[in-house]
């Protein structure tokens, strides 16, 4: 027997997205792994697909905060590059808070990786990650998108050698990029 559809939330002030209140039924949250000014990152399991994910949850459900969060979702979702965090889904908890799910990257930040390397040769071995970041940013710029908060803490170096740029608090800046 098919599951009845979950009711969608009314359109937010940030736009036309109609988000289902389905996070409580879909994800099992295991704990908080990071926190920033706009939201927090939770390790979780997607029960439907039986895979680990990271969830970013907005800290405050206010108009401007939600608008910024949804802008981040829309822009990040448009960026399809191996070194940019892929988004899986967006929705609302029954509490009304917005969230989005994304790939869970096990590893450390580029900042932690740099701090762990003490010799020049060890640090030079991190150069491929820096090149991956530059390529991801070049790709975003080709799509008229600027990251706005690029720093070693917003780059993940995965356990299997992957490099992933996260936390796209970005905006589209067509006129700025055309003048560069």
């Amino acid at each position: 027997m098919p599951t009845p559809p979950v009711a969608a939330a009314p359109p937010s002030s940030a736009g036309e997205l109609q988000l289902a209140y389905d996070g409580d039924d879909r994800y099992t949250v295991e704990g908080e792994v990071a926190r920033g000014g706009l939201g927090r990152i939770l390790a979780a399991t997607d029960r439907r697909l039986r895979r680990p994910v990271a969830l970013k949850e907005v800290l405050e459900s206010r108009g401007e905060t939600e608008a910024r969060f949804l802008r981040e979702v829309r822009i990040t979702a448009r960026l399809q590059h191996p070194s940019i965090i892929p988004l899986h889904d967006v929705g609302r908890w029954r509490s009304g808070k917005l969230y989005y799910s994304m790939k869970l990257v096990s590893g450390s930040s580029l900042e932690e990786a740099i701090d762990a390397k003490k010799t020049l040769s060890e640090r030079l071995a991190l150069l491929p990650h820096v090149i991956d970041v530059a390529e991801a940013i070049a790709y975003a710029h080709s799509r008229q998108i600027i990251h706005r908060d690029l720093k070693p803490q917003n780059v993940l170096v995965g356990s299997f050698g992957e490099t992933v740029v996260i936390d796209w608090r970005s905006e589209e800046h067509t006129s700025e990029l055309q003048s560069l």
Side-chain angles (χ1 to χ4, degrees):
M1 175 180 279
T3 307
V6 178
S12 72
S13 60
E16 311 75 41
L17 278 182
Q18 298 217 348
L19 304 174
Y21 289 106
D22 66 349
D24 301 88
D25 298 325
R26 182 165 183 179
Y27 300 102
T28 301
V29 174
E30 285 129 29
E32 184 174 312
V33 294
R35 183 177 285 256
L38 183 61
R40 65 184 185 150
I41 306 298
L42 306 165
T45 299
D46 180 335
R47 289 193 292 252
R48 185 180 308 153
L49 298 175
R50 297 182 184 162
R51 67 177 171 184
V53 296
L55 299 173
K56 183 167 186 179
E57 172 187 77
V58 70
L59 290 175
E60 296 180 25
S61 293
R62 294 181 315 179
E64 180 54 33
T65 303
E66 284 194 3
R68 286 178 45 217
F69 190 83
L70 288 172
R71 212 169 25 250
E72 177 181 330
V73 168
R74 286 186 178 117
I75 289 172
T76 306
R78 288 182 28 216
L79 296 173
Q80 302 295 308
H81 187 277
S83 291
I84 296 175
I85 194 74
L87 298 192
H88 300 315
D89 196 13
V90 61
R92 285 187 187 273
W93 301 110
R94 281 196 175 79
S95 68
K97 282 188 175 181
L98 290 167
Y99 71 87
Y100 64 80
S101 66
M102 59 191 151
K103 176 182 177 179
L104 178 64
V105 178
S106 60
S108 61
S109 71
L110 182 57
E111 177 183 49
E112 293 166 330
I114 291 168
D115 288 345
K117 308 298 182 191
K118 301 301 177 199
T119 68
L120 177 61
S121 62
E122 288 176 326
R123 287 190 172 179
L124 285 174
L126 296 174
L127 190 56
H129 298 293
V130 176
I131 292 168
D132 289 344
V133 170
E135 289 173 350
I137 297 304
Y139 167 80
H141 288 181
S142 77
R143 303 289 183 281
Q144 311 305 316
I145 295 171
I146 298 173
H147 187 285
R148 311 283 293 180
D149 194 26
L150 186 61
K151 56 190 175 188
Q153 299 95 320
N154 286 339
V155 175
L156 300 179
V157 176
S159 301
F160 298 98
E162 67 271 40
T163 306
V164 183
V165 180
I166 62 169
D167 206 12
W168 284 83
R169 283 187 251 156
S170 54
E171 295 182 25
E172 295 179 90
H173 288 281
T174 306
S175 60
E176 285 181 30
L177 282 173
Q178 288 174 348
S179 66
L180 293 177

